[in-house]
């Protein structure tokens, strides 16, 4: 079943293409990894999918309805991990998550916040102000925040940045749990082997243009880097 | 997952509560606003000898200028908390009404300004030897002007939030728009200070009330469009 239908979607920054017209269908429960060099359009696509940005042309529809019409209904179903933590640094992790949980209409926001902070091993520091956290701790808290509403769609922009080995393993485990509960996941990463390992589908972007979109079976784990460099070689020319 | 939908009032109150909670912990907004406004009131009080009739003539202006510039400082700090860490983006990603964000921020900005005035007003009465607090009409002026400043201040600070020149953009956008209400507030305050009959300056209070009503409607309509862009 097609969950997200992307039709002629593009985004321009002035005269420069951030994303060239793109057509793609993402099925419910898909794990899509977006790969590409810096400035390829990965984050732009992620922002368009999460309504953080308006397209210059084209549309995205969810279960047959345009995202713009769905508005709040769609936002209630998504979780986003961005380059920014989306946390108030003067508040503790627990206060931050309880606040965001209340915005999602969760009936016991504090209990849900504690549950997720335990899941990301932040329960021991959950009363400390966020400004005292390390990069990795911020990222863990940010992951917990994104999962508050048990989202159907999870959009992650380089979520492994700043995570130590243990936290990397934990995030991978969390993502696999989300796959098991049939969440649709779109992951942006520069780690080719990790992206390949997690994905059902790959999209390779270069200079805002989609060079490949489809099943990851088009290449093998060991051959991925060579195929990837072939597809994006113009970028380095 | 289908969540029980939170309503507009609970969303607005959640944002208001969060701002108050944040301020109680950091004390960044109130302390900077209070320090600035008290400095202005104290420094200007040195310009005139006690009882000087000219002092009463400028006292209304000093009070509102101190409050408005302290308010600009507060608006900047309040918005900074939303910009740091991408929180404004996170609020916009949440399944809540855009107007709930606006009214939540508006309520907290009003609360901060009223807190400042609770401390500033007695100091002002002592330093300027006025009996301002004895005029019930001043309550309407204070509430109406505080509301007008917070209303447009919240709107413009959210509009300017994504601009790299927001610190300068906010006063440039806000102050010209506030001219009628500042003028009304100063005239009404001076009227009260000179012990004039309320009927002589009631027109300024009416101006503030009309301004509040008109701009509440405009801001409600405009905010959603502004944040979507």
């Amino acid at each position: 079943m097609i969950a997200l239908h992307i039709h002629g979607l593009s985004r321009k920054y002035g005269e420069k293409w951030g994303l060239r017209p793109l057509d793609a269908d993402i099925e419910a429960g898909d794990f899509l990894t977006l790969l590409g060099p810096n400035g390829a359009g990965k984050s732009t696509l992620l922002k368009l999918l999460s309504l953080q940005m308006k397209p210059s042309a084209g549309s995205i529809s969810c279960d047959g309805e345009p995202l713009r019409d769905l508005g709040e209904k769609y936002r209630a179903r998504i979780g986003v991990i961005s380059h920014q933590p989306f946390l108030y640094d003067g508040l503790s992790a627990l206060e931050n998550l309880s606040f965001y949980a209340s915005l999602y209409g969760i009936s016991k926001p504090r209990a849900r916040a504690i549950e997720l902070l335990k899941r990301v091993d932040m329960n021991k520091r959950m009363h400390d102000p966020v400004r005292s956290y390390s990069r990795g701790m911020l990222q863990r808290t940010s992951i917990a925040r994104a999962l508050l509403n048990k989202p159907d769609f999870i959009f992650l922009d380089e979520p492994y940045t700043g995570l130590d080995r243990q936290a990397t393993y934990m995030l991978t485990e969390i993502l696999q749990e989300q796959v098991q509960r049939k969440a649709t996941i779109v992951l942006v990463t520069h780690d080719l082997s990790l992206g390949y390992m997690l994905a059902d589908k790959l999209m390779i972007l270069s200079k805002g243009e989609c060079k490949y979109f489809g099943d990851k079976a088009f290449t093998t784990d060991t051959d991925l880097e060579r195929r990837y460099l072939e597809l994006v070689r113009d970028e380095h020319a | 997952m289908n969540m029980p939908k939170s309503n507009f009032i609970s969303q607005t109150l959640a944002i208001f509560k969060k701002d108050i909670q944040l301020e109680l912990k950091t004390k960044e907004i109130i302390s900077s606003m209070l320090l600035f406004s008290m400095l202005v009131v104290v420094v200007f009080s040195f310009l005139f000898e006690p009882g000087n009739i000219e002092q009463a003539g400028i006292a209304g202006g000093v009070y509102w200028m101190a409050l408005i510039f302290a308010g600009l400082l507060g608006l900047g700090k309040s918005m900074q908390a939303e910009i740091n860490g991408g929180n404004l983006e996170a609020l916009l990603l949440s399944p809540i009404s855009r107007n709930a964000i606006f009214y939540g921020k508006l309520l907290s900005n009003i609360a901060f300004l009223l807190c400042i005035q609770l401390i500033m007003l007695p100091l002002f009465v002592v330093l300027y030897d006025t009996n301002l607090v004895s005029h019930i009409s001043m309550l309407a002026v204070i509430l109406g002007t505080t509301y007008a400043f917070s209303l447009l201040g919240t709107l413009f600070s959210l509009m300017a939030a994504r601009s790299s020149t927001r610190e300068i953009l906010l006063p440039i956008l806000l102050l010209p728009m506030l001219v009628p209400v500042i003028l009304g507030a100063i005239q009404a305050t001076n009227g009260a200070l000179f012990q004039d009959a309320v009927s002589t300056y009631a027109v300024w209070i009416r101006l503030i009330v009309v301004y509040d009503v008109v701009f509440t409607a405009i801001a409600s309509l405009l905010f959603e469009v502004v944040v979507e862009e």
Side-chain angles (χ1 to χ4, degrees):
Chain A
M1 183 190 164
I2 294 165
L4 292 171
H5 173 65
I6 300 169
H7 178 66
L9 188 73
S10 68
R11 171 74 194 194
K12 277 183 134 182
Y13 298 107
E15 287 304 303
K16 195 174 177 299
W17 286 102
L19 184 71
R20 289 172 188 275
L22 173 73
D23 291 295
D25 287 331
I26 303 171
E27 289 184 33
D30 267 356
F31 194 123
L32 169 67
T33 296
L34 300 182
L35 298 170
N38 292 330
K42 308 182 295 295
S43 295
T44 298
L45 177 56
L46 211 69
K47 283 183 176 174
L48 290 166
L49 287 169
S50 57
L51 291 181
Q52 287 173 275
M53 192 182 269
K54 276 186 175 178
S56 303
S59 64
I60 309 170
S61 47
C62 173
D63 301 331
E65 280 191 72
L67 290 198
R68 286 285 156 198
D69 295 348
L70 286 170
E72 284 175 35
K73 281 185 197 165
Y74 179 69
R75 292 201 303 271
R77 296 176 64 191
I78 66 173
V80 177
I81 297 174
S82 147
H83 288 289
Q84 293 188 298
F86 294 162
L87 299 166
Y88 293 92
D89 60 7
L91 298 179
S92 69
L94 180 58
E95 288 162 341
N96 265 290
L97 265 64
S98 300
F99 164 63
Y100 280 113
S102 68
L103 296 186
Y104 281 88
I106 293 166
S107 53
K108 289 179 181 165
R110 193 178 157 87
R112 177 72 179 145
I114 291 171
E115 180 194 338
L116 281 163
L117 288 167
K118 279 183 182 165
R119 181 66 191 89
V120 296
D121 288 336
M122 280 298 294
N123 46 320
K124 284 179 188 156
R125 295 285 306 268
M126 68 184 177
H127 296 292
D128 296 347
V130 161
R131 66 162 63 100
S132 68
Y133 291 177
S134 67
R135 178 78 184 91
M137 290 162 77
L138 271 178
Q139 193 69 342
R140 285 168 187 241
T141 312
S142 183
I143 291 161
R145 195 202 57 80
L147 299 175
L148 279 168
N149 55 332
K150 297 184 181 170
D152 294 331
F153 300 95
I154 305 174
F155 303 114
L156 308 102
D157 199 350
E158 297 181 47
Y160 287 93
T161 310
L163 294 183
D164 59 23
R165 210 174 177 81
Q166 191 190 351
T168 300
Y169 177 74
M170 180 203 68
L171 175 57
T172 304
E173 207 176 58
I174 288 174
L175 290 180
Q176 284 164 345
E177 284 168 17
Q178 303 306 313
V179 169
Q180 277 169 14
R181 65 167 194 87
K182 306 287 179 208
T184 305
I185 301 174
V186 182
L187 167 75
V188 168
T189 182
H190 287 290
D191 186 334
L192 296 187
S193 54
L194 183 71
Y196 182 87
M197 188 264 288
L198 289 167
D200 304 314
K201 286 182 178 165
L202 296 175
M203 182 181 285
I204 298 174
L205 294 160
S206 178
K207 287 183 176 173
E209 190 177 349
C210 179
K211 298 286 185 179
Y212 175 80
F213 173 58
D215 201 274
K216 71 174 179 181
F218 90 106
T219 185
T220 61
D221 186 13
T222 50
D223 208 27
L224 176 66
E225 193 161 342
R226 187 182 61 79
R227 296 293 301 274
Y228 170 80
L229 288 174
E230 276 172 15
L231 288 168
V232 303
R233 65 175 179 272
D234 290 346
E235 186 85 10
H236 303 287
Chain B
M1 183 193 175
N2 287 325
M3 292 284 168
K5 205 169 185 290
S6 59
N7 62 36
F8 175 77
I9 292 172
S10 67
Q11 293 163 0
T12 303
L13 291 178
I15 290 167
F16 171 65
K17 195 180 134 202
K18 178 269 299 171
D19 277 355
I20 301 299
Q21 193 178 23
L22 194 60
E23 183 54 22
L24 287 173
K25 288 204 152 194
T26 62
K27 297 171 186 69
E28 282 177 5
I29 299 173
I30 297 274
S31 59
S32 55
M33 284 168 76
L34 193 59
L35 195 67
F36 181 85
S37 58
M38 284 171 77
L39 267 175
V40 173
V41 168
V42 170
V43 167
F44 273 88
S45 75
F46 294 150
L47 290 177
F48 301 96
E49 287 171 20
N52 189 323
I53 190 72
E54 286 176 32
Q55 189 181 45
I58 67 147
V62 171
Y63 181 86
W64 289 111
M65 283 306 108
L67 199 76
I68 280 160
F69 284 103
L72 280 170
L73 205 63
L75 285 172
K77 285 203 170 285
S78 171
M79 195 40 58
Q80 199 59 45
E82 300 301 341
I83 295 158
N84 290 347
N87 290 302
L88 181 60
E89 211 64 52
L91 289 179
L92 295 172
L93 276 168
S94 308
I96 59 172
S97 154
R98 270 61 177 116
N99 276 336
I101 301 173
F102 176 69
Y103 283 104
K105 295 297 295 177
L106 172 61
L107 282 180
S108 54
N109 287 331
I110 291 173
F112 297 147
L113 272 177
L114 289 177
C115 274
I116 296 302
Q117 290 179 85
L118 274 179
I119 302 164
M120 200 176 105
L121 199 58
L123 180 78
F124 181 80
V125 167
V126 171
L127 289 175
Y128 291 80
D129 193 21
T130 68
N131 59 351
L132 203 58
V133 283
S134 66
H135 291 268
I136 193 74
S137 58
M138 269 310 292
L139 188 65
V141 178
I142 286 172
L143 291 177
T145 309
T146 301
Y147 177 79
F149 177 83
S150 304
L151 181 79
L152 286 192
T154 306
L155 179 69
F156 288 134
S157 62
L158 288 165
M159 274 171 74
R162 287 167 177 167
S163 163
S164 54
T165 55
R166 57 184 165 269
E167 290 85 1
I168 192 69
L169 198 59
L170 178 61
I172 288 173
L173 288 170
L174 182 59
L175 293 180
M177 292 294 289
L178 279 174
V179 166
V181 86
I182 295 171
L183 195 65
I186 293 172
Q187 294 298 332
T189 306
N190 285 343
L193 287 173
F194 282 113
Q195 309 284 320
D196 294 344
V198 175
S199 57
T200 59
Y201 58 86
V203 62
W204 297 109
I205 298 176
R206 280 199 292 273
L207 171 77
I208 295 168
V209 172
V210 170
Y211 187 98
D212 285 349
V213 172
V214 170
F215 278 94
T216 299
I218 292 173
S220 303
L221 293 171
L222 211 62
F223 183 70
E224 189 152 346
V225 181
V226 165
V227 291
E228 289 295 338
E229 290 305 315

